[in-house]
Amino acid sequence: MIIMDTKKPAQVLTIAGTDSGGGAGIQADLKTMQERRVFGTCVVVAVTAQNTLGVTDVAVMPRHIIDHQFAALAEDLDIKAAKTGMLANSAVVDAVVENYQKYDFGPLVVDPVMIAKGGAKLLSDEAIEAVRTRLLPLAYLITPNLPEAEKLAGMPIKNNADAKAAAARLQELGAQNVLIKGGHFSDSAKSRDYVLFADGSELELASPRYETSNTHGTGDTISSVIVSEIAKGKSLKQALQIGKAFINAAISDGIQVGHGHGHGPLNHWAYREVENEI
């Protein structure tokens, strides 16, 4: 008989909606977590009908189903860190806040998903306010893109100085650390992300821009990398750097899936090949 050496991987949680097309949402989160060699779990708060052509329908989970998923995980698993994605409406935000305060699932990374790549609105105005006032104070890290940061901070972001000011406002709202993703800046040859840490220190993360439309799920993916690395004991700075490298590989070594023109998925296994070469 062979005696097995059973591994005990770090366990992480994604709280989000599904993407039937597989490019974003919980599907992208779990793919990414698996690539980062952690054990991914999920609380499904909504189910979307979507593909590379767009989102056609959304069904929000009843409150008791959300509560029972949290309870089931807390009863059995040792979650070291968690992230949120698309939360649909204010009732879901309230459910997530109340459950996260009830259970110890470690540091929380908030990806404030508001609009799908295809333009579909995924978070109501009332829910955005709930994220601002109730969820942000629980966030170890918040990872908005430029439009999301503008909405949450209540100010336009046109340059680096604006990004710094917006990050400071988000800290005032309760988020400990802030990553503002700069992919929407159009005046730079590089994609530059700005990080404001809890201690006031700063970090810029830069990567080349690529002529591709296959960027669906980038926000879900980078936040999943970050939460995975945090769960494994990496520092936040290390987790952010790995996240940026992972996304760079996933975009630069692209794949072609579906018939959409403008919103294809990432290559979630690309960074594995980069790591093997290092």
Side-chain angles (χ1 to χ4, degrees), residues 5 60 86 97 100 113 119 121 128 157 161 164-165 175 190 201 226 244 249 256 270 278:
D5 181 16
V60 179
M86 189 271 282
V97 168
Y100 214 84
V113 180
K121 190 173 183 180
I128 292 171
I157 302 174
K164 293 181 180 182
K190 290 183 176 292
S201 61
I226 293 167
K244 187 68 170 178
Q256 185 60 51
I278 297 176

Side-chain angles (χ1 to χ4, degrees), residues 120-142:
K121 190 173 183 180
L122 299 177
L123 201 62
S124 67
D125 291 338
E126 185 182 10
I128 292 171
E129 185 61 22
V131 168
R132 181 187 290 114
T133 59
R134 300 202 62 199
L135 189 59
L136 257 62
L138 299 181
Y140 173 66
L141 172 70
I142 184 170

Side-chain angles (χ1 to χ4, degrees), residues 32-128:
T32 303
M33 291 167 179
Q34 186 74 11
E35 286 295 318
R36 298 315 304 149
R37 300 172 182 84
V38 298
F39 186 82
T41 67
C42 63
V43 169
V44 179
V45 302
V47 175
T48 71
Q50 65 176 295
N51 52 29
T52 61
L53 300 172
V55 179
T56 58
D57 205 356
V58 179
V60 179
M61 294 295 99
R63 172 65 189 256
H64 73 279
I65 294 295
I66 296 174
D67 291 344
H68 288 172
Q69 289 178 88
F70 273 101
L73 294 175
E75 178 185 29
D76 185 44
L77 297 171
D78 183 19
I79 306 297
K80 294 298 185 184
K83 60 151 290 187
T84 62
M86 189 271 282
L87 298 181
N89 59 38
S90 59
V92 170
V93 176
D94 288 343
V96 171
V97 168
E98 290 166 19
N99 277 286
Y100 214 84
Q101 291 172 325
K102 183 177 181 180
Y103 303 112
D104 181 10
F105 288 147
L108 180 64
V109 176
V110 173
D111 179 21
V113 180
M114 297 180 186
I115 301 173
K117 280 290 192 300
K121 190 173 183 180
L122 299 177
L123 201 62
S124 67
D125 291 338
E126 185 182 10
I128 292 171

Side-chain angles (χ1 to χ4, degrees), residues 203-218:
L203 176 68
E204 182 183 90
L205 299 167
S207 64
R209 287 186 183 275
Y210 299 99
E211 289 294 329
T212 179
S213 58
N214 295 334
T215 57
H216 182 51
T218 52

